[in-house]
Amino acid sequence: MGDELLIAALVCVVGCLGMVLYLQKQSRKLKTKVDALTVLVKESDRQRETVKRELHELRSGTIGVGRRVLELEKKLSQQSDKLEEASQQDPQAKLYSRAVKMVGLGAGVEELMQECELPKAEAELILRLHRK
C-alpha cells in the first residue's frame, strides 16, 4: 500500500509538472501576442499623432487661405466701386455705357449715332464688340 501511495503521489507530481510546463508555454505564447499587440498599439498611436498634426496644419492653412480670399474679395469690391464711380464721373463713359446697353436691347448703328452722339465708326465698333 505504501508503494501504491508513492506511485500515485509520483503520478500526481508528474501530472502537475506537465500542467505547469503547459501553462508556461501558453503564458509565453500570450506574452508574445501581448508584445506584438503593444507594438501595433504604439505604431497606431504614432500614426494617429502624425495624422492629428497634419490635420492641424491643414486647418491652419485653410484658415489662412480663407482670410486671404476675404481680403481679395474686399479689394475686388473696392476696385469695382472705384471703377463704377469713375465711370459715373466721366460723361464720355456714360455715353459708351448707354450705347452698350442699347446694343444689348437690339439697337442699330443709326440709333447709336443719334442717341449717344457717337461717330459712325465708334457706333459700328461698339455694335461689333457687344452684339450677342
Side-chain angles (χ1 to χ4, degrees):
M1 178 141 185
D3 287 339
E4 293 173 355
L5 191 58
L6 187 58
I7 291 174
L10 187 59
V11 168
C12 189
V13 166
V14 169
C16 286
L17 184 58
M19 184 62 91
V20 166
L21 291 174
Y22 174 76
L23 290 175
Q24 283 179 343
K25 184 178 177 182
Q26 293 300 319
S27 176
R28 282 192 299 271
K29 285 182 180 179
L30 286 175
K31 184 177 182 328
T32 302
K33 288 180 181 181
V34 166
D35 290 344
L37 287 174
T38 301
V39 168
L40 287 174
V41 167
K42 286 180 181 178
E43 178 65 19
S44 176
D45 286 345
R46 187 189 64 74
Q47 288 177 352
R48 184 179 49 83
E49 286 301 318
T50 300
V51 168
K52 185 178 174 183
R53 186 176 54 255
E54 289 173 356
L55 181 61
H56 178 70
E57 291 172 3
L58 283 172
R59 284 182 185 158
S60 298
T62 302
I63 290 170
V65 168
R67 287 182 183 148
R68 183 73 177 137
V69 167
L70 289 175
E71 288 175 15
L72 290 173
E73 285 177 347
K74 184 178 177 182
K75 287 180 181 179
L76 181 61
S77 176
Q78 290 171 349
Q79 291 298 323
S80 294
D81 292 345
K82 287 180 182 178
L83 185 60
E84 181 67 27
E85 182 179 310
S87 70
Q88 294 297 328
Q89 291 176 355
D90 183 9
Q92 195 69 13
K94 284 183 185 179
L95 289 177
Y96 289 121
S97 294
R98 183 173 177 209
V100 169
K101 287 179 185 175
M102 288 176 64
V103 168
L105 295 172
V109 174
E110 293 297 324
E111 197 173 351
L112 291 177
M113 290 172 52
Q114 289 175 356
E115 294 294 322
C116 300
E117 300 175 4
L118 295 174
K120 184 175 182 177
E122 286 183 24
E124 289 173 346
L125 179 63
I126 290 173
L127 194 63
R128 285 185 186 144
L129 289 174
H130 297 284
R131 184 174 280 163
K132 293 182 181 177

